[in-house]
Structure formats: structure tokens, C-alpha cells
Amino acid sequence: MDKDLKPTSPPGGLKIKNCHSFGPNNRTILCLDMDSYFATVEQQENPYLRAKPVGVIKAVGRTCVIAASKEAKKYGVKTGMPLSDVRRLCPKIILVPTDMEKYFYVTKRFADICRRYTPLVEMFSIDELFMDVTSSEHLFGGAVIVALEIKQQIKKEIGDWLSCSVGISYNKFLAKLASKKNKPDGLFVITPENKDDILLSTELVEVCGIGRRLEKRLSSMGVRNFSQLRQLPDSTVQAQLGSHWPAVLRRMAYGDLEDINSVSYNKKDSVITPDQISAQKSVSRTYTLFADTYNLRVINQYIRNLSEETAWKLRRMKLVGRLIGLSIRGADQGAWNHKTFKIPTADGLLIAKVCEQLFKSLNWPNPVRFVGIYVSLLSPNSQTSLLPKDQKRHEILKTMDYVNDKFGQFTLYPAQLVDGEQVKPEVNGFLGDKGFRILHQ
Amino acid sequence: MIQAIGDKIDVYAKFSKGSLIPQGFTWKQKDYPLKKLNFSFRKQEGLTVLLYYSALGETAAYELEFNLKTFIWRLTKAYLPGS
């Protein structure tokens, strides 16, 4: 242990002398959240950007900021804000285009640091992860020491401008809330003893799982804080929000929600899943176009392009899917449609043909600005078709993947894409395809 | 200001504790010593691995790219003060 790491009491309620598992489930969960991630990485790389308001944009020509430095946040700049608003709030803002591959490289490095303390590390997004240190914290002097050491090693090994905030608690829901409580460069602990004080002084939208839309609906029921949420009858929740929500909101209200992944709300146990391939529910690729288009040929090119990437990711994860879906947005409207098949696939051509049909069936009257392709009902790709036609197609795809893996993506690509904009594979901030990214990059 | 460059350069570097650390480079017949390595990362294009180093020089910061397949160094960006 480093001499500088003193296990004094961090904010929150932990008596730290010997931080071993606590809480009703005897677990210790850490949530590590990198501070102002993309902008801070840019400031790490370019020292002349440090201590200045920096906004990260997707690319030159894009119209909103996708990340802001802590200096820009002081002016009120927020993620997703249009550039016109950003410039009005902060005229001196410096705009930098993203480099997702660079950020993801840093993600892998801080995840590697975390894995020195436990193999139970689960990526939550490109800048957040969970660690279950229940069985290993005693080796390092407790969870707070683990957190302090990780913070120090990130600065030493990756960059001294980078910082992270760490939340410690006994489930992922509370650990994530704790990670937001003392930003930037913070450390906060939620225990069974201080849990109620923390929750009752927390705004509903601060917790993971209550977005603006749900907050609005709760507000219409007269619920504006956790105290009121605790008093809300299950029957009212069920009537207003459906049968899924009473149990979820009840557990949330008391901080007893073990998992924060919406699909796992009903699980009783906190689950840290280092094997994120088997947990993969769907594989997708979305893209926002630079300009609106009505041109069907161009729209079909994007559909094919994104289908090819989705299929490539499926093949790399050795998965196939039976449900093929398309999502379209434009002119502030959105629509989606899907089709389920008996035979699963990981072939981009087939996925694209289905999505072209789905687009046709939508009778979309607006221009298209956003295209999303998704494949779900996944299963391991364990069977090969005996039909010669399918076997030939399988060999073509195998060869194409081999060439592209060796010489770079889009060395070989479908002729349909020759004269269009090529959308290449890239990591996104939500790390929706984390299983794929962690395994193959 | 960030200036994209992309020119081939000669680099002198230190190999220490399993790391490659550029110490300086020659560009357009002028020597640019590097004072501090700020950041490094890697990218992959097919099987080609590219290493990137961002380092502080005397009057600016620079991004250098090292192609592990060809062993060619490039000066990819110059970060100038007053951006």
C-alpha cells in the first residue's frame, strides 16, 4: 500500500478501519465513474486545453456537444446541448472532435487496473464500471484503500489529469448513486446506516433507473422525492405505470434494488457479470446522418452499411439472432419495426434485405436523419447449414471477415456501398456492445 | 490550436522498463527535444498496430505516431499554445 493512501473516513457513512463486506447481503460493490471522461482525455493529451472549457463534438459539422470538461460544465454546458446554446453560455468554449478508439483504449486500461483487485469487474458504459470486491478487499486493507489505490494508479499509469469518482456500497444501485455524490475526484460510501439519509436527500432523477420521463409521470402522481415514493401505494403505481413497476419502485425507494440493469430488475441477487457475451441481449448499430434525406437509395445504403457491421459483430461473438429490427428517426418523429424468423442469422445481406422491407412497411413520410439496426433473440452459432447455397455464402463471409480483420475494416465491402458515405465500426459511449468490445479489442 | 501534419520524422527514443518513450525528433532538419510524455494510446487497423505519443516540447506539444508494422514515425499533430 502506498504511504499516501490514508484510510481516513471518506464522505459518506463508512467506518473505514476495516472495511469488509457490509449491508444485508454482505457484499462490497464499487462503482468507478471517470470524471468528464472524453473532455478530460483530450485535456490529458493536449496540455493547452487544460483548465479551459472544452466541448467534445462527434465530428466537424455536428450540431451538439456530446461531452463537456468540468470547466465547461461550470458555465452550464451539458451533454447533448445544441452548439448554438453552448456558444451562448460559453463563448470561449474550445470544440474538439471525438476519438472513440482513443477513449476506449483508456477504458480498457482503467478496467485492467481494476482487475488487479478482483476478477469481478463489469463494464457499465465506456466511462463506468462496477467491481465486486467482497471476497478480495481484505487482501488490500478494505474497499476504501482499493478505491484510493485505483485512483492513484489511474493518474500514475494513464495520465495525471484524469480523475475518477468512486462510490462504495453493498449493491450496484447504491454504489452508482454514491459515485455521483462527491464529484469530481470523489469517494463516497453508502452503508445501511446512512442509506436513508442519503436517499431522502436525493432527487429522484439522480438515481439510475429514473429518467426524466418517469420522473414526470411520478410527479403527476404527486411524487417528487424518495419520501413520497415510499408512501406511494403499489396499486397506484400499477394502475399508472403497469405491473412491472410496483416492485421495482418499492426496492428503489428503500435502496434495496440489487441490480440497475432494467432487464434484471427482478433478480434478487446483485450480479457482476464479467462474462458479458453471454449476457448480451441484442447487437445493434445506429447512426445519425449529417443531413436529412428522402433518397431511398441512400437510405438503403445506410441500412446495408449498418447491417453489415451488426452482422460482423454477431459473427465475431459467434452469435446468431432470430429477430431483426429497424429504427428510424427524422423530423422529430421516430418509428421502429421488427420481424422474427425461425432460422437465426448473422448475414448482413439478409439483415439488410429484411430491414429494407421493414422500412418500406413503415411508409415513412418524413426525411430520415437516424437509422438503427438491431438483432436480438440471440443464440450461439453452433450449427452450419447443409444447403450448398448457404455453405457458399458462409465461405464468402468467412473470407471477407478474414481480409477485413487483416487489412482493416472496409477493405472489402458490398458493391452497394461504393458511392455512399462509409460508416465504419466504432465504439459508442453507452458501450451497448460491451461484450463484443471487451472480447475483441 | 491543433495543426494536423502527417509528415515522416526521425525519432530518438528510450526503451525503459518495457516501454518505448520518445525523447525528441527531427522534422524539416530541425531538432525538437521532448520534455514530458503526456499520454499514449494505441490503435489497430487490421493487423497493423499504431502507437500514439503525446509529448510536450519546448514551444508546443506534439502527437507522434509509430507504425509497428513499417517502423515509420510520423508527426501527426502539433498542439500550439493559445488554443
Side-chain angles (χ1 to χ4, degrees):
Chain A
M1 186 176 75
D2 195 293
K3 272 187 278 179
D4 296 335
L5 300 178
K6 292 174 189 155
T8 51
S9 295
L14 190 59
K15 290 155 194 135
I16 288 302
K17 283 157 211 148
N18 252 321
C19 174
H20 295 310
S21 307
F22 56 96
N25 54 5
N26 281 327
R27 283 182 191 272
T28 308
I29 308 291
L30 271 64
C31 176
L32 183 148
D33 183 4
M34 298 299 288
D35 299 321
S36 304
Y37 189 43
F38 299 169
T40 310
V41 171
E42 293 299 333
Q43 289 173 319
Q44 179 63 49
E45 188 179 29
N46 179 355
Y48 301 118
L49 293 178
R50 293 180 192 180
K52 290 180 183 169
V54 175
V56 179
I57 52 173
K58 187 83 177 69
V60 176
R62 293 293 190 184
T63 54
C64 72
V65 158
I66 62 165
S69 68
K70 53 182 185 282
E71 297 82 5
K73 284 176 183 169
K74 284 180 189 161
Y75 288 89
V77 176
K78 288 178 181 163
T79 300
M81 197 175 255
L83 280 185
S84 52
D85 292 353
V86 169
R87 287 206 172 96
R88 185 175 47 77
L89 289 168
C90 182
K92 286 187 176 172
I93 193 144
I94 301 165
L95 298 174
V96 182
T98 51
D99 187 341
M100 298 305 288
E101 226 179 309
K102 179 168 69 189
Y103 310 144
F104 190 59
Y105 176 78
V106 177
T107 301
K108 283 184 289 178
R109 289 197 62 188
F110 73 69
D112 285 345
I113 289 172
C114 294
R115 283 193 197 95
R116 294 173 194 164
Y117 297 90
T118 172
L120 298 175
V121 172
E122 180 182 304
M123 300 307 303
F124 185 64
S125 66
I126 197 165
D127 61 348
E128 279 177 296
L129 58 77
F130 290 102
M131 304 166 64
D132 185 338
V133 295
T134 308
S135 306
S136 58
E137 61 170 317
H138 69 281
L139 299 170
F140 307 99
V144 169
I145 298 299
V146 169
L148 293 172
E149 282 192 9
I150 288 171
K151 284 157 83 70
Q152 197 181 59
Q153 283 166 27
I154 286 172
K155 282 187 181 293
K156 193 175 161 192
E157 295 177 29
I158 310 175
D160 53 4
W161 193 257
L162 298 174
S163 67
C164 66
S165 296
V166 182
I168 304 176
S169 195
Y170 53 91
N171 64 40
K172 288 202 275 184
F173 176 75
L174 290 174
K176 180 151 170 59
L177 175 61
S179 74
K180 306 284 177 204
K181 284 288 174 189
N182 194 21
K183 275 179 126 351
D185 204 12
L187 175 59
F188 197 91
V189 185
I190 298 180
T191 64
E193 290 76 33
N194 72 351
K195 173 193 76 170
D196 287 333
D197 288 344
I198 302 292
L199 279 172
L200 295 175
S201 62
T202 294
E203 281 189 40
L204 291 175
V205 281
E206 276 185 67
V207 302
C208 186
I210 301 187
R212 291 280 169 202
R213 197 181 295 177
L214 182 56
E215 185 207 22
K216 221 172 175 180
R217 295 183 74 179
L218 288 170
S219 180
S220 70
M221 290 183 246
V223 176
R224 290 182 179 81
N225 55 45
F226 275 89
S227 174
Q228 290 166 336
L229 187 62
R230 287 179 178 188
Q231 287 157 23
L232 190 65
D234 285 355
S235 55
T236 311
V237 178
Q238 182 153 349
Q240 295 287 327
L241 302 173
S243 59
H244 171 71
W245 286 101
V248 173
L249 287 178
R250 175 82 37 226
R251 287 197 208 135
M252 247 186 210
Y254 289 92
D256 295 333
L257 195 64
E258 295 286 350
D259 208 333
I260 53 175
N261 186 344
S262 59
V263 294
S264 311
Y265 271 143
N266 296 323
K267 286 182 185 170
K268 288 244 160 116
D269 245 0
S270 172
V271 185
I272 296 280
T273 47
D275 174 16
Q276 295 189 319
I277 290 277
S278 60
Q280 192 92 27
K281 300 284 182 228
S282 66
V283 175
S284 64
R285 176 66 158 111
T286 62
Y287 185 70
T288 303
L289 283 60
F290 277 87
D292 291 348
T293 184
Y294 286 99
N295 187 324
L296 185 62
R297 194 177 64 86
V298 172
I299 294 164
N300 284 340
Q301 277 181 329
Y302 281 112
I303 287 175
R304 180 69 191 274
N305 192 150
L306 304 181
S307 298
E308 286 295 334
E309 182 182 331
T310 306
W312 170 69
K313 289 196 281 196
L314 282 165
R315 293 194 296 271
R316 292 293 299 263
M317 288 189 279
K318 296 185 173 58
L319 295 171
V320 284
R322 290 199 299 117
L323 184 148
I324 297 171
L326 171 78
S327 170
I328 291 288
R329 277 186 234 149
D332 292 329
Q333 305 275 316
W336 59 92
N337 202 353
H338 68 260
K339 205 169 176 183
T340 307
F341 295 86
K342 279 186 181 164
I343 299 169
T345 187
D347 184 341
L349 177 61
L350 183 68
I351 295 168
K353 291 291 164 210
V354 171
C355 288
E356 283 177 18
Q357 289 302 315
L358 291 173
F359 180 68
K360 212 180 260 182
S361 69
L362 286 173
N363 287 319
W364 184 250
N366 301 314
V368 170
R369 192 60 183 263
F370 169 96
V371 181
I373 307 289
Y374 55 94
V375 176
S376 63
L377 297 179
L378 304 178
S379 57
N381 184 12
S382 49
Q383 282 191 327
T384 311
S385 170
L386 295 173
L387 298 173
K389 193 178 132 205
D390 292 343
Q391 285 185 346
K392 190 178 169 190
R393 182 79 194 145
H394 177 75
E395 283 306 311
I396 290 171
L397 292 173
K398 208 169 129 185
T399 308
M400 203 164 112
D401 287 347
Y402 177 78
V403 171
N404 286 335
D405 288 346
K406 186 164 184 179
F407 297 105
Q409 284 306 308
F410 280 83
T411 304
L412 276 181
Y413 56 89
Q416 189 183 355
L417 306 180
V418 164
D419 61 343
E421 181 202 357
Q422 279 179 8
V423 183
K424 295 197 174 179
E426 74 168 15
V427 186
N428 70 29
F430 299 112
L431 214 58
D433 52 0
K434 58 188 79 141
F436 166 75
R437 296 288 163 193
I438 291 159
L439 190 69
H440 291 291
Q441 294 214 355
Chain B
M1 197 180 76
I2 302 172
Q3 195 180 332
I5 300 172
D7 292 350
K8 283 185 191 176
I9 49 171
D10 292 333
V11 171
Y12 45 100
K14 185 168 86 176
F15 290 78
S16 172
K17 295 174 188 167
S19 296
L20 164 60
I21 306 159
Q23 303 290 298
F25 62 92
T26 308
W27 179 43
K28 293 183 176 172
Q29 297 174 326
K30 199 179 160 196
D31 193 42
Y32 293 84
L34 297 172
K35 292 194 292 189
K36 189 190 172 199
L37 184 66
N38 294 317
F39 183 61
S40 64
F41 64 100
R42 60 188 282 167
K43 286 186 178 180
Q44 196 153 349
E45 284 176 10
L47 293 181
T48 303
V49 175
L50 301 166
L51 304 181
Y52 290 88
Y53 297 88
S54 165
L56 191 63
E58 280 168 352
T59 54
Y62 306 94
E63 184 187 80
L64 313 182
E65 176 197 274
F66 182 47
N67 185 321
L68 274 180
K69 193 176 175 189
T70 60
F71 270 44
I72 288 173
W73 285 89
R74 283 180 196 278
L75 172 61
T76 43
K77 287 177 197 163
Y79 303 110
L80 306 170
S83 39

